[in-house]
Amino acid sequence: MLSDIRYYSSPLRVSDAVNELKKGKGKWAVFAGGTSAVLGRMGNVSGFISLKNCGLDHITQSRTELSIGSMARIQDILENKAAQKFAKGLLYKASYRIGSTLNRNLITLGGNIIQIYRWSDLPVALLVLDSKVNVKGPASRTLKFSDLLKKHPKTVLKYTDIVTEVRIKSPSGVFGTEFITFSKTEFDYALCNVAVFIQMNEKKCKDIRIAFGALQPLPFRAYKLEKMMKNKVIIDELIREVAEEASKSTEVSSDFRASREYKKHLIRVLLERAIKGAMKSA
Amino acid sequence: MIIKLIINNEEKEFTIKPGDILLDVLRREGYKGVKKGCGTGECGACAVLLNGRAVNSCLVLAAEADNSRIVTIEGIGTTEKPDPLQESFVEAGAVQCGYCTPGMIISAKALLNKKKDPTDTEIKKALDGNYCRCTGYVKIIDAVRMAVKKMKNK
Ligand SMILES: Cc1cc2nc3c(=O)[nH]c(=O)nc-3n(C[C@H](O)[C@H](O)[C@H](O)COP(=O)(O)OP(=O)(O)OC[C@H]3O[C@@H](n4cnc5c(N)ncnc54)[C@H](O)[C@@H]3O)c2cc1C
Ligand code: FES
Ligand code: FES
């Protein structure tokens, strides 16, 4: 509840922010874009430590990787030339679908990957790009994004941990990507998100990563499906087989938005389209 | 705590609580053109320009806005000297009850500050967080197009 908030500070350095969080003993939380924080979706919190002055809003590309500061807004990712083109527009496609312009101007990359909801869009794309996450805290470290998602990121991170940036290796070789989302209206939350990254060697699939979102509490990689395609010559029949398997083996349940059967249908159709889309862009 | 804001080009200082929301502070201080609709970031009625970007002020912590420049609908134009967007909304019949109009104009203003000649897709994308429950969107989009023409001919 916002009426419980008694303390606010906006330190100039990440190390000072970490110290502030230590002082708060778990009662003070990181404040990023605020779109979840001000709606009181952070539990029992009595202070906010804002990262706005910590200089974490960069988007930079080197020869080998794209690095995005955790305070970069989703709209910054959409408007940044390097981010737009990165991985054949995969980050752009996933960011384009998040909320509205009025909210994308607030929502940060860090907030979007820590405050994950089942329908969160960008984490699905980050999963297939094998992203890494830099964390500063009493024990600074680099985590694989997939490891941050083993449980909810809020339980993987300690209350003194601050995500400072996401780093994504520039894909090489002949590769293609696709991100497809399905929702009832343009603005509604996703019912099913699919991201695919594929690397080709002639007609053979050298490597593939498939991730789904909005189907289970957290986005996930579909390793079993990836195995079905790796080192195989990709023909329509194989794609159909993989999509069938995805529909059969993915655990989903009915909710007020859609039935289990409908979601299973979506998985099959969207995965088939996403694999074909990724191959087309390769 | 005390925050300093530049609102519609005027320097202001307000005493706030750390958990206060910018929308509530603005309305409390007399900027009643900033409307409260949903209060949860869905409708766009509370839109303001924060350092040049259109945002939902119901999702902004007032403390977080300290030292920022804010433009509300009151700063876009006046009855005597309306902005081309305000004229166009009237002329295109894009206003019925008018509750959504300040937010619509703020979103459109942020777009036109960046793009002098936006495409229809860009106009729709810029307004994608602004709901109108009366007019429908055809005349609102017409009004933005009309403002683009007016601004070109100025
Ligand atoms: C109306 C609406 C529609 C939306 N639609 C979508 C949508 O379609 N798709 C989508 O993906 N998202 C959507 N979102 C955004 C999503 O729901 C979250 O609100 C958002 O991702 C949170 O990001 P934030 O920067 O605002 O974080 P905040 O609200 O500031 O923080 C959220 C949580 O993350 C923690 N945190 C934030 N940054 C860091 C960091 N760097 N290090 C450690 N912890 C951190 C905070 O402590 C807090 O617990 C929508 C939001 C709204 C309000
Ligand atoms: S009142 Fe802010 S978006 Fe509706
Ligand atoms: S004119 Fe009434 S809500 Fe838009």
Side-chain angles (χ1 to χ4, degrees):
Chain A
M1 290 273 285
L2 284 178
S3 53
D4 297 332
I5 302 299
R6 300 271 177 269
Y7 185 75
Y8 169 91
S9 79
S10 48
L12 300 177
R13 292 185 310 195
V14 178
S15 53
D16 294 337
V18 172
N19 286 335
E20 287 275 70
L21 292 169
K22 268 190 217 157
K23 264 200 276 172
K25 295 188 176 134
K27 288 279 182 190
W28 297 351
V30 169
F31 190 95
T35 61
S36 278
V38 305
L39 296 178
R41 293 178 180 156
M42 298 177 49
N44 203 4
V45 165
S46 65
F48 287 140
I49 310 304
S50 167
L51 300 183
K52 72 169 181 176
N53 293 324
C54 290
L56 296 174
D57 53 2
H58 61 277
I59 302 181
T60 47
Q61 190 172 30
S62 69
R63 220 167 36 81
T64 51
E65 67 175 23
L66 182 75
S67 153
I68 310 182
S70 64
M71 285 298 283
R73 313 281 162 165
I74 301 300
Q75 194 67 22
D76 297 335
I77 297 174
L78 281 178
E79 290 177 11
N80 180 282
K81 289 268 179 312
Q84 277 173 3
K85 290 198 195 126
F86 192 78
K88 308 241 162 119
L90 185 69
L91 292 177
Y92 181 87
K93 280 187 186 168
S95 303
Y96 192 82
R97 274 291 317 183
I98 295 178
S100 63
T101 304
L102 291 166
N103 293 336
R104 283 189 299 273
N105 276 329
L106 292 171
I107 299 167
T108 64
L109 170 66
N112 202 246
I113 64 172
I114 303 296
Q115 185 76 32
I116 289 198
Y117 299 101
R118 61 167 53 219
W119 38 260
S120 293
D121 297 292
L122 201 45
V124 188
L126 292 174
L127 263 181
V128 298
L129 291 175
D130 251 358
S131 315
K132 295 204 166 77
V133 175
N134 282 357
V135 179
K136 285 253 157 68
S140 295
R141 58 213 187 271
T142 299
L143 293 173
K144 278 181 156 184
F145 184 51
S146 50
D147 288 342
L148 190 63
L149 289 187
K150 282 201 169 138
K151 287 187 256 164
H152 196 283
K154 281 190 160 184
T155 55
V156 175
L157 295 179
K158 302 205 166 55
Y159 70 85
T160 39
D161 283 338
I162 293 176
V163 170
T164 53
E165 65 179 351
V166 172
R167 286 165 38 214
I168 317 166
K169 225 167 117 189
S170 305
S172 57
V174 181
F175 74 92
T177 63
E178 183 62 294
F179 176 86
I180 300 183
T181 183
F182 186 91
S183 56
K184 284 191 175 169
T185 66
E186 176 90 9
F187 187 57
D188 198 9
Y189 299 121
L191 273 175
C192 178
N193 276 331
V194 189
V196 172
F197 170 89
I198 193 164
Q199 227 170 4
M200 300 295 291
N201 186 359
E202 304 284 323
K203 291 205 155 27
K204 258 191 182 172
C205 163
K206 195 172 155 203
D207 196 10
I208 184 163
R209 291 175 223 133
I210 299 171
F212 288 104
L215 301 171
Q216 294 174 5
L218 293 173
F220 59 92
R221 279 270 297 273
Y223 294 104
K224 188 174 156 198
L225 304 177
E226 293 172 3
K227 228 169 153 187
M228 287 174 75
M229 296 195 73
K230 244 180 235 177
N231 297 318
K232 300 265 172 64
V233 174
I234 309 285
I235 50 170
D236 281 358
E237 209 180 312
L238 177 63
I239 298 175
R240 260 199 309 274
E241 215 176 283
V242 170
E244 280 300 344
E245 178 57 32
S247 170
K248 213 167 72 190
S249 59
T250 309
E251 288 296 323
V252 285
S253 48
S254 302
D255 61 26
F256 69 95
R257 282 201 165 84
S259 66
R260 179 175 176 273
E261 292 69 28
Y262 186 68
K263 288 185 190 174
K264 290 224 166 228
H265 173 74
L266 278 180
I267 294 170
R268 185 173 55 72
V269 174
L270 298 187
L271 180 59
E272 198 172 326
R273 281 185 203 161
I275 296 172
K276 286 183 177 165
M279 286 183 64
K280 211 169 150 196
S281 77
Chain B
M1 62 188 285
I2 292 174
I3 56 165
K4 285 186 183 158
L5 301 172
I6 299 176
I7 307 181
N8 304 331
N9 284 327
E10 273 183 85
E11 278 185 37
K12 300 269 176 174
E13 226 176 72
F14 304 125
T15 302
I16 59 152
K17 292 198 201 106
D20 280 354
I21 293 294
L22 182 63
L23 166 64
D24 299 330
V25 172
L26 289 172
R27 287 187 59 81
R28 187 172 76 209
E29 299 297 336
Y31 299 93
K32 292 284 168 68
V34 190
K35 301 295 178 205
K36 183 164 188 171
C38 60
T40 55
E42 308 273 353
C43 76
C46 62
V48 298
L49 298 182
L50 178 68
N51 297 326
R53 292 172 159 224
V55 299
N56 285 320
S57 61
C58 68
L59 295 183
V60 176
L61 205 62
E64 187 78 356
D66 189 19
N67 292 318
S68 300
R69 297 184 79 88
I70 290 172
V71 179
T72 68
I73 190 68
E74 290 88 349
I76 298 280
T78 59
T79 316
E80 295 74 39
K81 206 165 170 282
D83 185 271
L85 269 166
Q86 291 168 313
E87 286 174 351
S88 304
F89 267 67
V90 174
E91 287 162 23
V95 181
Q96 284 190 35
C97 80
Y99 204 80
C100 68
T101 313
M104 290 282 181
I105 289 179
I106 290 287
S107 288
K109 189 74 188 167
L111 172 70
L112 300 190
N113 282 345
K114 268 200 294 196
K115 294 228 156 184
K116 297 288 165 244
D117 200 2
T119 61
D120 279 2
T121 310
E122 284 167 336
I123 296 175
K124 288 179 190 166
K125 194 71 182 164
L127 300 181
D128 63 356
N130 295 88
Y131 285 7
C132 175
R133 300 290 86 169
C134 307
T135 318
Y137 299 94
V138 173
K139 291 188 175 187
I140 289 169
I141 290 158
D142 284 349
V144 181
R145 279 197 213 104
M146 194 189 278
V148 170
K149 274 196 198 134
K150 275 179 194 271
M151 287 161 75
K152 269 193 199 158
N153 296 336
K154 264 200 171 166

